């Protein structure tokens, strides 16, 4: 009887420890999701060269931030049908990647500049049910994998080996869609994502309806069950705040790319102004975490 009593007591204690651990983990996850990003400044965004995306570059040291827009697409690229560039990213070891799409076709293209300055192109043939849009790229902190995004209302993000960084990639071979991030909440019109850390994405949504999260143009946080790689992972989606919508003109704003600079802790998001004011008061907004 004494032995069975001790066994029952051990089981109860084990259960209580498990419940307490779960509560701590739940509280930590909630605290992370409750992070606030406070606007600390802004810079004018040039509608031709800074209207689609942006990224901070760590290698070489003291590199300037890089932007994309219709004016940054080389003629040699657009003449082959790649006439839209999305939100770029750069690996921590200096590979800079731009996502491209065409008006029609069955493929997407990723244009990569290596640390030595040379450019190469990696083409991805669309998978079953994959949208043609190539809105953004976000390179994982370890560098081996890259997240990309489609358009419209989606419950997934796509994962590829990072072109130029992952040894399994080659410009002469199809860049595969290896796995997916399965989202627990639909997202709409995601224009850019960047990694806050290995298991957290921050994303800018151009959602014009506001029906998914109770706000239009939200800043989203996606907490991942594991680092992206060759197998699917899940993502918990939280809307953190509405992005700034300020202009001398009234009408529809357009949220664009996003960048998190881990060196300064600065988050930057491009928001284009409506109508004529796209030329005059479009902004790259800067935020820091509270």
């Amino acid at each position: 009887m004494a032995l069975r009593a001790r066994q029952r007591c051990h089981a109860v204690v084990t259960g209580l420890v498990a419940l307490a651990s779960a509560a701590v983990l739940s509280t930590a996850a909630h605290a992370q999701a409750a992070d606030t990003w406070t606007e600390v400044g802004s810079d004018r965004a040039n509608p031709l060269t800074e209207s689609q995306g942006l990224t901070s570059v760590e290698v070489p040291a003291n590199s300037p931030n890089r932007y994309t827009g219709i004016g940054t697409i080389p003629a040699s690229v657009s003449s082959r049908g790649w006439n839209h560039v999305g939100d770029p990213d750069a690996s921590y070891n200096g590979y800079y990647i731009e996502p491209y799409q065409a008006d029609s076709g069955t493929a997407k293209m990723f244009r990569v500049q290596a640390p030595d300055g040379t450019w190469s192109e990696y083409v991805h043939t669309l998978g079953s049910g994959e949208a043609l849009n190539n809105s953004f790229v976000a390179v994982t902190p370890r560098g081996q994998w890259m997240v990309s995004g489609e358009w419209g209302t989606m419950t997934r993000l796509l994962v590829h080996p990072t072109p130029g960084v992952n040894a399994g990639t080659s410009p002469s071979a199809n860049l595969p869609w290896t796995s997916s991030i399965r989202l627990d909440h639909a997202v709409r019109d995601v224009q850019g994502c960047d990694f806050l850390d290995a298991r957290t994405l921050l994303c800018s949504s151009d959602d014009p309806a506001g029906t998914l999260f109770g706000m239009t143009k939200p800043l989203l946080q996606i907490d991942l069950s594991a680092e992206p790689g060759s197998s699917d992972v899940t993502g918990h989606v939280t809307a953190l705040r509405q992005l700034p919508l300020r202009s001398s003109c009234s009408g529809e704003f357009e949220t664009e790319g996003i960048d998190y600079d881990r060196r300064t802790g600065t988050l930057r998001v491009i928001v284009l102004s409506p109508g004529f004011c796209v030329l005059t008061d479009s902004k790259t907004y800067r935020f820091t975490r509270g």
Side-chain angles (χ1 to χ4, degrees):
M1 292 295 293
L3 177 60
R4 287 196 294 273
R6 285 198 299 272
Q7 289 172 333
R8 287 196 299 272
C9 181
H10 177 74
V12 170
V13 170
T14 300
L16 290 173
V17 168
L19 287 172
S21 299
V24 169
L25 290 173
S26 176
T27 300
H30 177 76
Q32 184 180 29
D35 284 344
T36 57
W37 290 89
T38 302
E39 182 186 338
V40 294
S42 63
D43 304 289
R44 179 178 176 269
N46 185 305
L48 289 178
T49 58
E50 300 175 346
S51 59
Q52 295 298 313
L54 73 170
T55 189
S56 48
V57 181
E58 297 189 15
V59 177
N62 301 315
S63 295
N65 296 326
R66 300 185 69 162
Y67 294 81
T68 55
I70 189 171
T72 69
I73 303 175
S76 61
V77 174
S78 61
S79 65
R80 290 181 284 119
W82 304 113
N83 57 6
H84 181 276
V85 62
D87 185 36
D89 199 13
S91 66
Y92 294 159
N93 63 344
Y95 283 81
Y96 169 73
I97 305 170
E98 294 177 342
Y100 282 85
Q101 69 187 60
D103 292 335
S104 62
T106 59
K108 304 173 182 178
M109 191 267 280
F110 299 90
R111 187 167 178 258
V112 181
Q113 187 176 37
D116 64 5
T118 58
W119 287 92
S120 55
E121 295 180 0
Y122 294 75
V123 174
H124 162 67
T125 301
L126 299 184
S128 176
E130 182 181 355
L132 182 64
N133 313 90
N134 198 13
S135 300
F136 69 87
V137 292
V139 179
T140 61
R142 293 178 186 268
Q144 293 298 303
W145 301 96
M146 177 184 75
V147 178
S148 73
E150 300 163 282
W151 188 249
T153 303
M154 292 288 171
T155 56
R156 70 181 182 193
L157 301 175
L158 312 179
V159 180
H160 313 266
T162 306
V165 180
N166 191 305
T169 64
S170 169
S172 62
N174 178 60
L175 184 71
W177 164 18
T178 307
S179 63
S180 300
I181 297 172
R182 303 293 180 183
L183 305 177
D184 68 352
H185 191 294
V187 297
R188 183 178 293 126
D189 299 349
V190 172
Q191 292 275 48
C193 289
D194 204 2
F195 279 90
L196 176 66
D197 56 48
R199 291 176 55 179
T200 310
L201 281 164
L202 294 171
C203 302
S204 53
S205 166
D206 191 44
D207 181 2
T211 55
L212 295 178
F213 298 99
M215 67 182 82
T216 61
K217 319 293 183 180
L219 171 66
L220 304 177
Q221 179 171 311
I222 303 177
D223 297 301
L224 307 177
S225 60
E227 296 181 35
S230 58
S231 300
D232 286 4
V233 300
T234 59
H236 172 63
V237 184
T238 305
L240 300 181
R241 58 163 293 164
Q242 185 182 56
L243 292 165
L245 305 175
R246 296 194 298 270
S247 174
S248 299
C249 298
S250 59
E252 189 67 32
F253 291 81
E254 185 171 3
T255 299
E256 295 289 353
I258 189 171
D259 173 68
Y260 175 71
D261 189 339
R262 63 174 181 165
R263 297 166 298 180
T264 62
T266 301
L267 179 71
R268 296 179 301 139
V269 184
I270 299 171
V271 180
L272 300 183
S273 297
F276 176 81
C277 287
V278 70
L279 301 174
T280 60
D281 61 15
S282 295
K283 294 286 194 298
T284 297
Y285 290 96
R286 301 191 306 273
F287 306 85
T288 57
R289 182 162 49 166

